[in-house]
Amino acid sequence: MGNLTDTLPKPLLQVRGRPLIVWHILNLVRAGITEIVINHAYLGHMIEAAIGDGSRFGAKVTYSSENAALETAGGIAYARHLLGEAPFVAVASDIYCPHFDFSQVKTVLQDDDVWGRPLSAEKKDMAWLYLVRNPAHNENGDFALNLFTLSNTGSPRFTFSGIGVYRMEMFNALKSGEKAPLGALLRTFAERGLVGGEVYRGDWTDVGTSERLNSVNILSARNG
């Protein structure tokens, strides 16, 4: 992001006059998801100052402050005492996805099969990922998708959007405070056929560079 994030954390970058993280909070609240945990490290105090306790958005926000960034899986394991043990949705705060309907995430991880019988641990999806068509900066995609099951090889391939639903059991092997990427963990479970997913075809942008941020702001302005 160049100089943009020297003095501002990515989640506070603005699209259409609103910080990226606020777009997510408002969409979560709209779907009835009001208890939100935000993890942060770099310039995290600025996020806390901007969002506060979340009450003005209709949410209850708590914070997991990391002394050094633990990456996504490590951050989840570190915040386990705040997240609890039930399935939860996690959202990358540096994506712009203004129309995503979070109400759908509540039922994607099933404990029973289609006949209402309890699924064994060997058959339960541990995660459900929302995928998008491959952008120019990731043209080979991240995962293959076949009948709502992700795999590490094969086709067609799609890109992980940064929105996923997880069972906390996925993170049992991680120690609190351990730095750990999410990608490697997902691939381990995908290899066992335990990661489900679907393709999201709405507006989505990975705001990973200043050029992409400028592009999405220009496009949004043109579309009103």
Side-chain angles (χ1 to χ4, degrees):
M1 297 299 293
N3 296 330
L4 285 175
T5 53
D6 286 348
T7 57
L8 191 73
K10 270 188 183 182
L12 294 184
L13 294 173
Q14 295 199 1
V15 174
R16 296 174 59 187
R18 178 181 289 168
L20 290 167
I21 196 169
V22 173
W23 283 101
H24 297 321
I25 292 172
L26 292 175
N27 282 343
L28 286 164
V29 170
R30 190 175 296 118
I33 300 171
T34 58
E35 294 191 12
I36 299 172
V37 176
I38 297 175
N39 70 311
H40 63 69
Y42 176 68
L43 299 178
H45 66 282
M46 297 182 69
I47 297 174
E48 293 198 25
I51 304 302
D53 64 3
S55 57
R56 63 195 173 99
F57 306 110
K60 178 183 177 182
V61 174
T62 54
Y63 295 93
S64 178
S65 178
E66 303 165 11
N67 292 327
L70 299 175
E71 299 197 37
T72 305
I76 288 171
Y78 187 67
R80 188 167 188 158
H81 65 292
L82 298 173
L83 291 166
E85 298 303 311
F88 61 94
V89 60
V91 188
S93 59
D94 57 355
I95 61 171
Y96 175 62
C97 195
H99 306 301
F100 189 87
D101 180 6
F102 281 99
S103 63
Q104 63 189 296
V105 309
K106 300 175 183 179
T107 57
V108 290
L109 289 184
Q110 298 293 326
D111 292 320
D112 302 324
D113 64 17
V114 293
W115 294 280
R117 299 174 302 193
L119 289 167
S120 65
E122 294 76 20
K123 293 184 178 180
K124 274 186 188 178
D125 282 334
M126 288 290 107
W128 187 275
L129 305 188
Y130 292 90
L131 309 175
V132 294
R133 290 165 291 187
N134 299 329
H137 62 273
N138 192 43
E139 59 183 12
N140 293 324
D142 299 315
F143 296 97
L145 181 65
N146 183 21
L147 295 178
F148 301 105
T149 298
L150 274 65
S151 61
N152 297 319
T153 59
S155 61
R157 296 183 65 80
F158 298 92
T159 292
F160 176 37
S161 69
I163 301 173
V165 186
Y166 308 94
R167 295 186 193 273
M168 189 55 82
E169 299 98 292
M170 271 189 64
F171 306 91
N172 282 349
L174 299 180
K175 297 177 181 178
S176 181
E178 176 183 354
K179 184 177 181 179
L182 180 62
L185 193 61
L186 286 171
R187 293 192 182 284
T188 297
F189 282 94
E191 189 67 29
R192 295 164 52 190
L194 297 179
V195 180
E198 61 190 277
V199 178
Y200 173 68
R201 301 189 184 278
D203 292 340
W204 176 90
T205 303
D206 173 2
V207 187
T209 66
S210 56
E211 291 77 15
R212 286 183 228 151
L213 178 64
N214 291 335
S215 294
V216 76
N217 270 311
I218 291 170
L219 183 61
S220 295
R222 286 176 179 170
N223 293 338

